[in-house]
Amino acid sequence: MREPLIFDQGRPGRRAPSQAPAVAAGTDDLPAALIRRTPPPLPEVSELQVVRHFTRLSQLNFSIDTHFYPLGSCTMKYNPRAANKLAMLPGFLDRHPLEPEAHAQGFLECLFDLQEMLKAATGMTGVSLTPMAGAQGEFSGVAMIRAYHQARGDTARDQIIVPDAAHGTNPATATMCGCDVVEIPTGPDGDVDLAALRQVVGPRTAGMMLTNPSTLGVFERQIAEIAEAVHGAGGLLYYDGANLNAILGRALPAAMGFDVVHINLHKTFSTPHGGGGPGAGIVAVNDRLEPFLPIPIVGRRDGAAGHAYRWLAEAERPQSIGRLSGFMGNAGVLLRAYVYMRLLGAEGMRRVSGYATLNANYLMKRLAAAGFTPAFSQRRASHEFIISLKDVTRDTGVSALDFAKALLDKGFHAPTTYFPMLVPECLLIEPTESEARQELDAFAQALIEIRDLAFKDAAEVKSAPRTLPVRRLDDVRAAKQLDLTWQSRADSPAVSPR
Amino acid sequence: MNNVPQQLQYTAEHEWVRREDDGTVVIGITDHAQQQLGELVYVELPEVGRALKAGDAMAVVESTKAASDVYAPLAGAVRAVNPALTAEPELVNTDPYGAGWLVRLQASDSQLTGLLDASAYTTLLDAAD
Amino acid sequence: MPFIPHTTDDTAAMLGAIGARTIDELFDEIPPALRVVGLPGVPVGLSEAAVTRLMRERAARNRATLCFLGAGAYEHHIPAAVWEIATRGEFYSAYTPYQAEASQGTLQLIYEYQSMLAGLTGLEVSNASLYDGATAFAEACLMAVRGARQARARRIAVPRYMNPVWLKVARTLVAGQNIELVELTATAGRTDLEALADLGDQDFAAICIPYPNFLGGFEPIDELTNWAHARGMLVIAACNPTALALLRPPGEWGEKGADIACGEGQPLGIPLSSGGPYFGFLTCRKALVRQMPGRLVGGTLDVDGRPGFTLTLQAREQHIRRSKATSNICTNQGLMVTAATIYLSLLGSEGLRRVAAQCHANTLELVRALASVGGITAPSAPFFHEAVLTLPWPVAPVLQQLAAAGILGGYDLSADFPELGSALLVCATELRTTEDIAVYRRALAGVLGVAVAA
């Protein structure tokens, strides 16, 4: 099953004429030297060809809508269609971002309500919706932490502490903000090594970034001690909200001692991942950091005639770290999250964490009973858990990567593999609350069958996948013989002679 | 099994160092390091002439799954870099102690201090296993 | 329960297997003092019908207007097929294509996108998208500092008429790395070439040239490119992608061509959508590919020798290189790129060129129509699909009155660029008709209290 490149499907002069102006307007008034000499190499195809090509491409993908997708740390839950449909109402979709506030009251009200709900879900006192993804939320958080210290004249704080199991975005963000990264180890039970933390905090500590529950799939039980250690040294505590789905409505980051949190709305609040984005990485903060929030922020004026919503002007936010986007972040993603949150309500949010955790613990127990090795079997799983395949790999040579590929053949998207890196041959499995018990059982059965086959015929497992559009791809070739764009060939039918 | 030639010296960061007759030193990464990285797809090397302090990041070795800095095991000026690695970075995998060398340094100090001999490096590898 | 499929029996059986009595018990590792039971401030859940009613009511309160406003976001026709296909669940609800064999659709699409954007900008390599035009500009600056031949140069030269918001965003994002954006002097709406001598021998990593600039006009692209290259600087082009179907691409500027191009992808099939999500594009010469932030898709072969696509050069990225990554970006704007690739396929080079030419012709018509209203001055230099009009009165109250009449009259430049006086930036895309322009002209004349012939 292969689909030719769109470029290779064209014929010179073929077009989809109803999509562009019927007449080519003159441009004689533009200086001749500015006019493009050769047309850009875009495909020359009909509308039907386009529709067929991209429909066929879509069918080469796994997705939540078609497959169980237990990708740890990514929260691949069902994306309700209502959220998409309602965010695409013309009143939202056709609005220019610089439209006057008076024309945008419905939109601004949604954003204001969303800010308030996110404060409630985190226990924080201020929110900015503008960060466009988790990494931008992290950037905002660390930039606010730096701005806070600098505003106090405490200018020597340039270190960000992260656990060794942290997402790669944490250290990358610290570097972007001009900070040095200090990594601390994880203890044998999955909690942060508190003694190591106490040794590294000090006058250079700007803050610490922590995910809780951690990337190891367990709740950090010493969170109060960690907060005390970091705050005691004058640093602030950053909550990476990648795993908020696990504790939604059950514990508040603010109460745990965090000063700032980012939330990936495309995880916990179910906006679609879109094959890589867009997301939204809103930030919520306590009073200490509130003046530094990135803009824009939506404000409300309460008057006799009701509420009026408005953008808080730059002059009202003089200490803000500034702007992060050309207009208002990923506004359409914010609307999708808003719809989802209104559909859930407070009780629904609490159910999300409850059933996500039920599913993870059930699947972990089921796999442990079948002889798999959970990385932290004495701990409760959060909404995700880790299986280490180290023993299977040692005995059969079949690795976590091989399991991942074999799962694809069985119609399941693979869990996250080789992250966190401290657990060898690991699968990080996050079923989410959307999946029924029967789906979890089928997935467990698939893993059992793959392991059985590994002991009987390792080569067979290592040859997976066999049922997909391609088999295993040569990554080394991709990196060494870079082929990043289609090159028009002289004899290609897609290029018009001009 | 790791190949750890007797005549070379090593660092805990898995670099090897060889003293040449002309007083320069040649540096590469060990067989263990190349195995951990997997097949290399790119090697970034320093400019010739650059002055390095001991511990400076001087090169990057990159596979499809990892990228690692290579640190200068001692201070010195870069005299030469291995030109073959641009086209064939996998030489580091196939011949880490020979054709896969990375950098030739004019060491600032005539004594090589703080390096491990082959048996100490082997002990370190065994301990990590 | 919304979006949770468990029956009571399922839940009981699962708890039994775990050895817990209740779901709440599964949270027993959270210290009791930290547990909460409700979320005051979050309203009760609503049915889909009730939320639909609520959202329709709010959407209806967002007034529809006749749009002559651009300033970084443009109202173009979006073919119906674009979003019909982009919102197919197989694109919409897929994750980042890390499992290549199960993501060939997304991967091939990104490869096609990369090819289209590289072709549009006349450069060799494109990444798989950044968040928006403003952040793409910021990343281009960071990339240029990493890739600059003058290894210590941490300044970027930026013309006066760069998008002012992009400049603010870039300053936010590069502040932590001590990179300075230095504004160049302008005369008559474009960079003053003679004033470049005032920069002396300061070290610059790059110059960024907007194309067209924020006023809709043209910078001296060839002269600036050659000047920068002669000083060992890189050249970043910040382009409107629609314009590139008609105008000479950055890869062909000056003697050697620009090195990096970035821009806002919104005009390529993305709805205005109250400000986002849009996407940023970033392309460059092959020599700079290892400095590129974000994802890249490459072609390769599978074990049977069949062609396929995979993410490549991932060692640049945060999940592998961590604190030494080229950027912290992970999630990008994949679905927007899906839409843009479908859009560009439907339009083709001739279709996109016609869109660009029609935008230009309509803006020309708009400028002529409005300049026929007494007291209004039209620009004298060439412009693409936005242009600056000078009014005899302050712009803000004029725009307010136009808005009350249902017309978005343009962007008030006086706060960002006071030297321009009462300057209004107007735009007419291919969607504006002669009738639309007549409506604007009559309304503007009415606001200014000038009588006009019909």
Side-chain angles (χ1 to χ4, degrees):
Chain A
M1 195 166 43
R2 261 199 78 213
E3 173 66 14
L5 288 171
I6 188 85
F7 301 99
D8 292 329
Q9 300 187 28
R11 287 293 176 273
R14 186 177 285 161
R15 294 179 50 223
S18 66
Q19 305 301 356
V23 189
T27 53
D28 296 345
D29 59 302
L30 288 173
L34 280 177
I35 299 298
R36 186 167 187 135
R37 293 181 287 250
T38 49
L42 296 178
E44 298 188 80
V45 286
S46 71
E47 184 167 330
L48 174 59
Q49 281 183 301
V50 173
V51 169
R52 257 185 208 153
H53 173 69
F54 290 101
T55 302
R56 284 178 180 153
L57 284 189
S58 78
Q59 291 170 335
L60 305 184
N61 276 355
F62 278 33
S63 67
I64 301 175
D65 282 5
T66 52
H67 295 83
F68 180 42
Y69 219 119
L71 197 61
S73 102
C74 301
T75 311
M76 298 298 282
K77 60 167 80 177
Y78 170 59
N79 307 139
R81 283 278 154 179
N84 187 53
K85 188 171 179 193
L86 298 176
M88 292 183 85
L89 290 171
F92 300 120
L93 206 62
D94 299 341
R95 237 188 97 265
H96 193 287
L98 300 176
E99 189 95 47
E101 288 162 355
H103 289 188
Q105 288 296 301
F107 170 64
L108 290 173
E109 183 174 1
C110 290
L111 297 197
F112 184 86
D113 287 356
L114 180 60
Q115 290 174 182
E116 294 302 307
M117 285 196 285
L118 290 166
K119 287 179 198 170
T122 56
M124 295 291 181
T125 55
V127 167
S128 170
L129 301 175
T130 183
M132 290 181 280
Q136 245 204 356
E138 291 181 33
F139 177 90
S140 314
V142 176
M144 281 190 276
I145 289 173
R146 291 215 80 185
Y148 166 82
H149 292 310
Q150 272 161 16
R152 291 156 45 94
D154 195 357
T155 53
R157 297 189 178 272
D158 63 349
Q159 287 181 342
I160 293 287
I161 301 166
V162 300
D164 52 3
H167 294 113
T169 47
N170 290 177
T173 297
T175 301
M176 253 188 122
C177 291
C179 292
D180 289 341
V181 178
V182 181
E183 274 200 4
I184 52 161
T186 302
D189 56 357
D191 288 336
V192 162
D193 182 338
L194 201 54
L197 173 65
R198 289 187 173 129
Q199 276 188 349
V200 301
V201 293
R204 286 186 63 193
T205 302
M208 175 174 181
M209 302 176 86
L210 199 64
T211 309
N212 194 18
S214 72
T215 57
L216 299 166
V218 293
F219 189 87
E220 174 58 63
R221 292 168 294 189
Q222 316 167 95
I223 183 60
E225 290 82 354
I226 291 172
E228 201 183 316
V230 173
H231 287 147
L236 298 185
L237 199 56
Y238 181 99
Y239 183 89
D240 179 327
N243 292 342
L244 184 70
N245 209 56
I247 58 160
L248 192 59
R250 309 222 168 231
L252 304 177
M256 294 180 210
F258 288 95
D259 300 285
V260 47
V261 2
H262 92 258
I263 301 174
N264 308 78
L265 297 184
H266 48 292
K267 296 181 181 178
T268 307
F269 295 111
S270 192
T271 69
H273 284 74
I282 72 94
V283 280
V285 295
N286 62 18
D287 290 339
R288 282 174 162 175
L289 292 176
E290 204 274 342
F292 306 101
L293 281 170
I295 47 177
I297 296 169
V298 181
R300 184 172 80 183
R301 208 179 275 126
D302 300 324
H307 304 305
Y309 298 90
R310 65 193 187 98
W311 299 112
L312 296 184
E314 280 177 43
E316 296 170 79
R317 311 286 310 173
Q319 289 188 290
S320 166
I321 59 160
R323 298 190 60 103
L324 296 167
S325 67
F327 298 103
M328 178 47 207
N330 283 336
V333 177
L334 302 174
L335 289 174
R336 283 168 177 80
Y338 178 67
V339 170
Y340 178 70
M341 291 167 86
R342 293 304 304 262
L343 287 165
L344 287 184
E347 259 318 289
M349 288 187 195
R350 199 175 151 79
R351 273 197 299 265
V352 159
S353 54
Y355 284 88
T357 303
L358 176 70
N359 276 0
N361 279 282
Y362 172 73
L363 190 53
M364 181 170 84
K365 276 284 190 292
R366 208 170 176 297
L367 289 172
F372 285 93
T373 311
F376 302 100
S377 57
Q378 300 312 308
R379 301 286 309 264
R380 287 276 186 220
S382 63
H383 66 322
E384 61 188 355
F385 62 97
I386 297 172
I387 294 289
S388 174
L389 297 167
K390 191 180 171 190
D391 295 348
V392 182
T393 308
R394 184 196 58 219
D395 295 343
T396 67
V398 172
S399 66
L401 179 74
D402 299 323
F403 268 78
K405 301 305 180 192
L407 277 169
L408 300 178
D409 269 341
K410 290 182 175 286
F412 297 100
H413 194 279
T416 298
T417 50
Y418 301 102
F419 177 83
M421 285 176 264
L422 41 153
V423 183
E425 299 300 330
C426 71
L427 300 178
L428 177 60
I429 302 173
E430 180 182 0
T432 83
E433 72 278 8
S434 310
E435 302 295 337
R437 177 187 169 199
Q438 293 69 29
E439 195 70 32
L440 307 182
D441 288 342
F443 176 75
Q445 187 57 36
L447 278 176
I448 292 166
E449 286 169 14
I450 293 166
R451 187 192 51 191
D452 290 350
L453 185 60
F455 281 97
K456 273 189 238 133
D457 188 353
E460 180 72 14
V461 182
K462 293 181 94 57
S463 73
R466 291 176 166 277
T467 61
L468 297 177
V470 291
R471 295 185 57 204
R472 281 190 216 186
L473 292 159
D474 185 346
D475 289 335
V476 171
R477 181 191 169 98
K480 285 172 72 174
Q481 302 176 35
L482 280 183
D483 165 20
L484 303 175
T485 56
W486 173 79
Q487 300 298 322
S488 56
R489 283 158 283 145
D491 59 348
S492 165
V495 179
S496 325
R498 285 180 206 261
Chain B
M1 267 321 284
N2 290 302
N3 174 12
V4 182
Q6 280 303 317
Q7 70 278 18
L8 302 179
Q9 290 180 286
Y10 299 90
T11 70
E13 283 78 39
H14 309 291
E15 290 126 7
W16 57 260
V17 178
R18 187 177 68 224
R19 187 75 178 263
E20 301 286 278
D21 292 343
D22 63 359
T24 61
V25 293
V26 175
I27 300 160
I29 65 169
T30 65
D31 184 44
H32 171 81
Q34 71 79 16
Q35 282 181 38
Q36 292 293 306
L37 286 162
E39 184 172 346
L40 296 194
V41 295
Y42 184 69
V43 178
E44 186 183 310
L45 294 166
E47 274 177 50
V48 174
R50 190 174 146 200
L52 296 166
K53 297 193 297 293
D56 279 358
M58 63 170 193
V60 182
V61 284
E62 183 183 313
S63 69
T64 60
K65 300 281 181 274
S68 289
D69 287 318
V70 181
Y71 300 97
L74 62 175
V78 178
R79 289 288 296 275
V81 297
N82 185 347
L85 299 182
T86 312
E88 295 176 89
E90 67 274 20
L91 288 173
V92 177
N93 300 102
T94 52
D95 190 5
Y97 301 109
W101 67 278
L102 299 178
V103 171
R104 181 188 293 271
L105 281 188
Q106 182 72 53
S108 321
D109 196 333
S110 58
Q111 297 299 312
L112 303 185
T113 53
L115 298 174
L116 308 172
D117 63 15
S119 76
Y121 181 64
T122 306
T123 309
L124 182 131
L125 290 181
D126 292 345
D129 248 356
Chain C
M1 294 179 287
F3 320 122
I4 293 170
H6 299 62
T7 65
T8 315
D9 289 350
D10 281 340
T11 304
M14 292 168 81
L15 284 170
I18 296 166
R21 280 170 301 118
T22 62
I23 286 179
D24 285 354
E25 199 180 317
L26 301 176
F27 295 87
D28 54 6
E29 288 194 4
I30 301 179
L34 295 180
R35 292 180 214 158
V36 295
V37 288
L39 289 174
V42 177
V44 295
L46 298 175
S47 68
E48 185 172 312
V51 176
T52 301
R53 194 158 53 240
L54 174 85
M55 294 301 282
R56 284 202 174 133
E57 181 271 319
R58 291 199 181 166
R61 278 199 279 135
N62 295 326
R63 184 174 174 186
T65 44
L66 189 56
C67 182
F68 292 93
L69 173 59
Y74 303 95
E75 186 189 12
H76 291 289
H77 172 66
I78 301 173
V82 170
W83 284 94
E84 288 282 324
I85 298 174
T87 53
R88 282 180 65 90
E90 301 95 323
F91 283 135
Y92 177 84
S93 73
Y95 191 69
T96 305
Y98 288 128
Q99 289 290 339
E101 301 88 346
S103 316
Q104 284 296 301
T106 292
L107 287 163
Q108 181 172 333
L109 183 142
I110 295 172
Y111 179 88
E112 292 176 356
Y113 162 83
Q114 290 174 177
S115 306
M116 291 178 191
L117 268 288
L120 264 181
T121 54
L123 292 167
E124 292 155 299
V125 176
S126 164
N127 79 358
S129 78
L130 297 165
Y131 306 128
D132 71 354
T135 63
F137 166 55
E139 289 280 13
C141 293
L142 292 171
M143 184 179 166
V145 168
R146 287 192 299 270
R149 276 198 282 149
Q150 296 163 306
R152 286 178 315 279
R154 301 192 83 76
R155 287 195 198 88
I156 309 275
V158 188
R160 168 82 177 145
Y161 299 114
M162 183 75 199
N163 183 320
V165 177
W166 289 21
L167 214 50
K168 285 180 189 170
V169 172
R171 288 199 163 115
T172 307
L173 293 174
V174 306
Q177 298 182 53
N178 297 318
I179 293 167
E180 192 188 353
L181 302 177
V182 179
E183 211 174 87
L184 300 176
T185 310
T187 4
R190 55 188 238 153
T191 302
D192 184 341
L193 290 171
E194 287 174 17
L196 294 176
D198 302 344
L199 297 173
D201 56 0
Q202 294 181 66
D203 274 351
F204 283 89
I207 182 174
C208 180
I209 309 174
Y211 188 60
N213 69 19
F214 193 66
L215 307 184
F218 295 101
E219 295 289 334
I221 47 173
D222 296 321
E223 293 85 346
L224 287 174
T225 300
N226 292 340
W227 169 79
H229 282 152
R231 290 176 60 119
M233 296 160 61
L234 293 176
V235 175
I236 303 168
C239 329
N240 176 316
T242 309
L244 294 181
L246 179 64
L247 302 177
R248 188 146 52 91
E252 297 174 17
W253 291 359
E255 279 165 29
K256 289 193 270 180
D259 304 284
I260 301 170
C262 62
E264 173 56 68
Q266 178 273 331
L268 305 176
I270 313 301
L272 288 170
S273 189
S274 308
Y278 298 166
F279 73 91
F281 62 84
L282 187 65
T283 66
C284 69
R285 301 198 166 286
K286 209 166 183 176
L288 289 168
V289 66
R290 282 196 152 72
Q291 304 305 334
M292 188 67 117
R295 298 174 185 143
L296 287 170
V297 171
T300 186
L301 300 175
D302 75 1
V303 292
D304 292 337
R306 283 180 304 183
F309 300 93
T310 186
L311 291 170
T312 192
L313 298 189
Q314 293 189 69
R316 298 165 299 111
E317 295 185 66
Q318 48 75 29
H319 59 287
I320 291 180
R321 201 74 169 104
R322 298 176 77 86
S323 66
K324 293 189 171 171
T326 52
S327 166
N328 71 342
I329 191 167
C330 178
T331 293
N332 60 17
Q333 305 287 110
L335 196 68
M336 305 296 121
V337 159
T338 305
T341 309
I342 301 170
Y343 176 87
L344 287 170
S345 301
L346 284 167
L347 272 285
S349 66
E350 177 58 20
L352 192 65
R353 197 182 70 78
R354 286 190 186 191
V355 169
Q358 194 64 49
C359 289
H360 175 67
N362 287 356
T363 302
L364 204 60
E365 185 182 341
L366 174 71
V367 164
R368 285 181 183 144
L370 298 184
S372 72
V373 177
I376 295 178
T377 317
S380 51
F383 52 84
F384 172 55
H385 76 351
E386 266 180 304
V388 181
L389 298 172
T390 315
L391 305 192
W393 282 289
V395 173
V398 173
L399 285 179
Q400 237 168 31
Q401 290 188 57
L402 287 169
I407 295 170
L408 281 184
Y411 182 84
D412 181 359
L413 291 162
S414 51
D416 297 308
F417 306 108
E419 73 275 15
L420 299 175
S422 293
L424 172 65
L425 184 67
V426 294
C427 170
T429 67
E430 84 280 12
L431 290 179
R432 294 291 77 83
T433 63
T434 299
E435 291 73 36
D436 293 340
I437 290 169
V439 167
Y440 187 10
R441 177 168 173 264
R442 278 196 300 274
L444 184 62
V447 169
L448 297 178
V450 183
V452 290

